[in-house]
Each structure stands twice: as structure tokens, then as C-alpha cells.
Amino acid sequence: MAVLRRYCHVLRRIAAVCGLLGGLQQGSAQQTVAEQYLFAALNSARAQAGLPALRWDPRLTAAAASHAEAMRRARTVTHRLQAEVDLPGRAAGSGSHFSAIAENVGVGSSAPVLHRMWMQSQHHRENVLDPIVDAVGIAVRERDGNVWAVEDFARTVPDMPLRDQEQQIILLLHSAGLTAEPSSAARAMCAQTTGYVGTRPLFIMRYNASALTALPSELLEQVRQGTASQAAVGACERPGQSFSTYNIAVALYQ
């Protein structure tokens, strides 16, 4: 325990010199010192590149931990071991919802050594400095004096009840000048790939998105034509997808 405390003290002094102390302090008490170091180091690199910091994601961390442990046991570095599901499957299995995902894996004598190795590798550096991702999960496991590490990066899709998804689209349609309301028929049409339910609409658009901040341009064009006076909105789930999106249907009526 005394050795560990001395190691933590030395690491924090190094982090302070490097401008990483704030990132170390943000780490959870459940994170190891090595995991906190990697988290702080990658966010320091992103800050130097003018990119926003990534948030620590427990679900991605669970996916990273299962893979780090599997690599440690097998004494090999790979993105997928035999009998393992692939990265999207691992992350989805941990409960993570995402529209983009990437991974760094490695083994080295320490966390600082691993970070330097990744930053000197074009592909790994691109993952660290990817402007698309907003969250990361990191896991480090030790064996025979080495550390086996995994960084799972993702563009996360926030959990949102279907009714809240529909209300977000309704607000966007209202802003575009069209009356809209949630509809069971639209929900049924969302789950279908073709056809319609109930009264035949002037126009149906089924689409998926990782954010609900804007309407698709094709739908906006239909609204602006002025032939429709109201819209029905439905959201639905499509089980079995690793990559997560909001699934929406909008039907326009006279």
C-alpha cells in the first residue's frame, strides 16, 4: 500500500508538470491510476489540438475492461479474440448507444509508455484526436510487469424515450410552420419499410439520425411547398442494431 501511495504521488506530480492534474482529479475513485493517467493524457492531447475533452463513459469502460482482461489472459494484442464479439457488439452488449466507435489496444511497460506509443502511431493518434467522438472508456490490466490497455472511443447517442423523440420532431415541425402531433399510425409506419397505415398521406418520410436537432432537407422541402397542413410523427425501436440511431417516421396530410 505504501508503494502504491508513493507511485500515485509521483504520478500526480508528473501530471501537474504536464498540465494533466485536472484530468486526473476528474477520474472516478474506481479508476486505477493508470486508467486515470491515460484519460488525462488523451484529453490533454485533445486540448492541445483545440478539441473538446471526452467524457468518461462507464458503459464503454465495461466493454474495454472485458477486452483488456481477455487480452491479458491470452497474452496477445488484437481488436478481437476468438470467441469474442466484435467491437460494436461488445459496446452494445455493455448497454452503450453510439453512432460511431473506434478502439486503441496495446501492451507496454506503463501507461505513459503506451500513450506515447499511440500518439506516435497515425491510426491510434487519429482515434485520440477524432473530432466526432465525445466519450471514452478505458481499461488497464496488469500481467508479468506489463500493462494491457484498451481505449474505446464513441460518438454516443443519448437514451431518450420514444415519446420524447416524437416531441422533439414535433417542435421542429412547428418551427417550420406545420401543425404536428404524435400518432400510433406514424409509429406503425416507422416500424415498416414501405406502405402506410390508415389514411393515405401526401408524403411519408422514414429516416434515422444520431441527433434530433434538425429535420432532413427533403422533409423540410416538402413542408415548405405548403401542400400539407398537418403532420403525424412516430418513433420506433429496431432491435438487434449495434449502431444506435433514432428511428423516425413523419407523414404529411392535407
Side-chain angles (χ1 to χ4, degrees):
M1 182 62 71
V3 172
L4 179 59
R5 284 197 295 268
R6 286 197 298 271
Y7 177 64
C8 292
H9 177 69
V10 171
L11 182 56
R12 288 184 180 276
R13 291 189 61 184
I14 294 172
V17 173
C18 298
L20 303 180
L21 184 56
L24 287 173
Q25 292 173 336
Q26 292 171 9
S28 163
Q30 296 180 344
Q31 298 169 13
T32 67
V33 173
E35 290 163 354
Q36 290 187 51
Y37 178 90
L38 290 174
F39 181 52
L42 72 86
N43 274 331
S44 177
R46 289 178 66 87
Q48 291 174 26
L51 295 169
L54 300 184
R55 62 176 177 81
W56 182 276
D57 189 297
R59 295 174 178 177
L60 290 173
T61 298
S66 68
H67 188 55
E69 178 61 21
M71 290 197 307
R72 184 191 74 85
R73 289 176 180 269
R75 299 188 184 186
T76 189
V77 177
T78 179
H79 289 287
R80 185 179 186 182
L81 288 154
Q82 189 173 8
E84 261 194 325
V85 297
D86 60 8
L87 170 60
R90 277 192 280 113
S94 71
S96 181
H97 300 280
F98 51 90
S99 58
I101 195 161
E103 183 175 71
N104 285 348
V105 296
V107 60
S109 59
S110 67
V113 167
L114 269 176
H115 179 70
R116 287 196 299 271
M117 288 169 53
W118 283 332
M119 294 305 291
Q120 291 168 3
S121 163
Q122 180 178 349
H123 175 70
H124 297 91
R125 181 184 177 88
E126 287 174 352
N127 286 340
V128 170
L129 301 181
D130 188 345
I132 298 300
V133 299
D134 59 13
V136 66
I138 302 172
V140 175
R141 297 293 182 268
E142 297 185 13
R143 180 170 189 169
D144 301 332
N146 287 318
V147 294
W148 306 77
V150 178
E151 294 180 333
D152 285 345
F153 305 88
R155 177 73 177 186
T156 53
V157 177
D159 295 338
M160 187 184 299
L162 296 180
R163 289 189 179 276
D164 290 352
Q165 297 176 35
E166 292 166 354
Q167 288 301 318
Q168 183 62 32
I169 300 303
I170 287 169
L171 289 174
L172 293 173
L173 288 166
H174 285 173
S175 297
L178 191 65
T179 299
E181 61 183 16
S183 161
S184 59
R187 294 180 194 121
M189 286 186 275
C190 176
Q192 299 173 341
T193 56
T194 60
Y196 64 92
V197 174
T199 304
R200 183 169 185 167
L202 295 172
F203 175 80
I204 305 173
M205 183 159 197
R206 300 174 178 88
Y207 67 97
N208 53 62
S210 58
L212 300 178
T213 55
L215 296 173
S217 57
E218 183 181 353
L219 177 58
L220 269 178
E221 180 60 30
Q222 290 290 330
V223 171
R224 288 167 178 165
Q225 287 180 12
T227 55
S229 62
Q230 58 184 331
V233 178
C236 62
E237 295 180 350
R238 293 179 183 166
Q241 295 177 330
S242 292
F243 287 84
S244 301
T245 57
Y246 304 115
N247 303 297
I248 304 294
V250 177
L252 303 183
Y253 299 91
Q254 286 185 327

